[in-house]
Amino acid sequence: MAAAGESTQVRAVCRAVAAEFDSVTQHAVDKIRAEITSYHSIPYREQYDYIRTGLEMMLEAVASPDGIAQLDSGRSRDLGRRRAMQGISLSDVIETYHIALRELWHELLARSPEPDAELMVAVGRLWDVVHLETTAVAEGHSEATRSRQAERAGVRHRFFAALTAGDERSMTDARQLAQALGFDPDNEFRALCADSDWPEAAQERLQISLDELRGAAHCSRHDAGLMILCQRAATPTVVATVRSIRPGATVGVGLERPSLELAPSTMDDAMQALKASRAGAVTRFEDAWLTASLTPQRERLAPILERGWAVARENPHLVDAVRAYAGAGLSISAAARSVNLHANSVTYRLDRWHTLTGWDPRTASGLLASIAALDLAPAGPGPAGTPGG
């Protein structure tokens, strides 16, 4: 005689599924590995054993309400911890339960001559099992993730400190720490530097997002900005990740450098590009290397450049002509078209700029001095204040 809450028909269906449990489990595992590619890194037999045990618990809950009381939450928490340490995201772990539930439901339907209300009630207990199991898995996964993140944060801090120490012994330490963070010390590195205020919580959120990218990327506070050192990670993707946490952040991008020993150079590139960047812009050192390299020398060069700054503040129309001429390949006619002027007007303005500053923009040295003065002008109102300095 069936116990309370049990059904003779439901138990018969469950026995039919249990008789084919090896093939049921294999089919579920194959579906999971086909739909969730991160599980390719998990040994097949390990996953098979976990899924088989999980399906058995689900089936017992369908067969009898007492099956729910036999659930082992400790096992599920351990699974969550293990998958976190193996680098499997919590969403992927939980999705395996949904796929297993779906496949088991299909098997129950296939072996039920005519699904009735009793089977629907019994199958409802599947969701109770999944809820309880995934809750325990999430707890274990979160515990391991916090522990793992804390450990990696310590490694990350020591890595950046060793990398910027500037001595041979520290660089040896940095090479070992780099490998622990997923870097190849002999491969290329690129740094990005972001401005804005980065409290610990925002920095942690950014690092969690960086950990999900292809390649390796790690961030750390550096001087007045947040430094990101990456390898095999697409620069536009890293920038987009930064701006998902801090929309409108100004970002400097360093040159790609061929080894860890030159990583400090790409970090310097990124910092200089940031200082030479307009607010809210992304500036690559390779595109703005002259301005970026001269920006740290602004105060030293001020006695030379101040005359250009003063003229630019008082004559923005002359600035437009100089920039148009430089941007048009040194063509008067092309520059005139870009600013909707007659060629004679552009010529007059270039001559006027020459007269007022002493720099002839139609010569290499004069144009170089003119553009340097405009790009290095202190930040402020007016066309001369273009960089963020």
Side-chain angles (χ1 to χ4, degrees), residues 11-191:
R11 291 185 69 84
V13 171
C14 290
R15 284 196 298 270
V17 173
E20 303 292 333
F21 226 54
D22 286 340
S23 62
V24 171
T25 301
Q26 181 177 347
H27 184 69
V29 172
D30 291 344
K31 282 284 188 178
I32 290 170
R33 295 174 82 88
E35 296 182 29
I36 309 176
T37 57
S38 62
Y39 270 83
H40 293 175
S41 64
I42 305 300
Y44 188 93
R45 189 68 207 184
E46 174 187 325
Q47 187 181 11
Y48 179 95
D49 290 342
Y50 270 108
I51 294 300
R52 183 184 176 91
T53 301
L55 287 172
E56 287 174 346
M57 289 189 297
M58 290 183 187
L59 195 61
E60 289 172 3
V62 173
S64 170
D66 293 339
I68 295 179
Q70 299 171 14
L71 295 178
D72 184 358
S73 60
R75 171 190 173 277
S76 299
R77 277 193 294 272
D78 287 343
L79 174 62
R81 293 188 193 98
R82 179 165 179 77
R83 292 293 182 255
M85 298 306 292
Q86 291 170 323
I88 307 298
S89 69
L90 179 58
S91 61
D92 282 354
V93 179
I94 291 177
E95 184 62 18
T96 65
Y97 282 86
H98 294 164
I99 294 173
L101 181 150
R102 181 188 71 199
E103 297 305 315
L104 182 57
W105 169 235
H106 289 164
E107 294 293 336
L108 290 168
L109 283 180
R111 287 163 174 78
S112 179
E114 186 174 340
D116 58 11
E118 289 182 338
L119 180 61
M120 295 300 103
V121 171
V123 168
R125 292 195 288 270
L126 280 176
W127 285 108
D128 294 333
V129 173
V130 170
H131 172 71
L132 293 170
E133 288 289 286
T134 55
T135 298
V137 163
E139 290 173 356
H141 195 285
S142 298
E143 291 169 4
T145 299
R146 287 193 296 270
S147 174
R148 186 166 177 255
Q149 287 172 351
E151 180 181 347
R152 283 173 68 83
V155 174
R156 193 177 300 116
H157 176 78
R158 296 197 304 275
F159 168 70
F160 277 97
L163 190 61
T164 55
D167 59 85
E168 185 175 346
R169 180 176 178 180
S170 295
M171 184 56 69
T172 300
D173 293 341
R175 289 184 71 87
Q176 295 176 343
L177 294 166
Q179 292 174 319
L181 293 173
F183 288 128
D184 177 357
D186 298 314
N187 211 327
E188 291 82 7
F189 287 82
R190 187 191 298 276

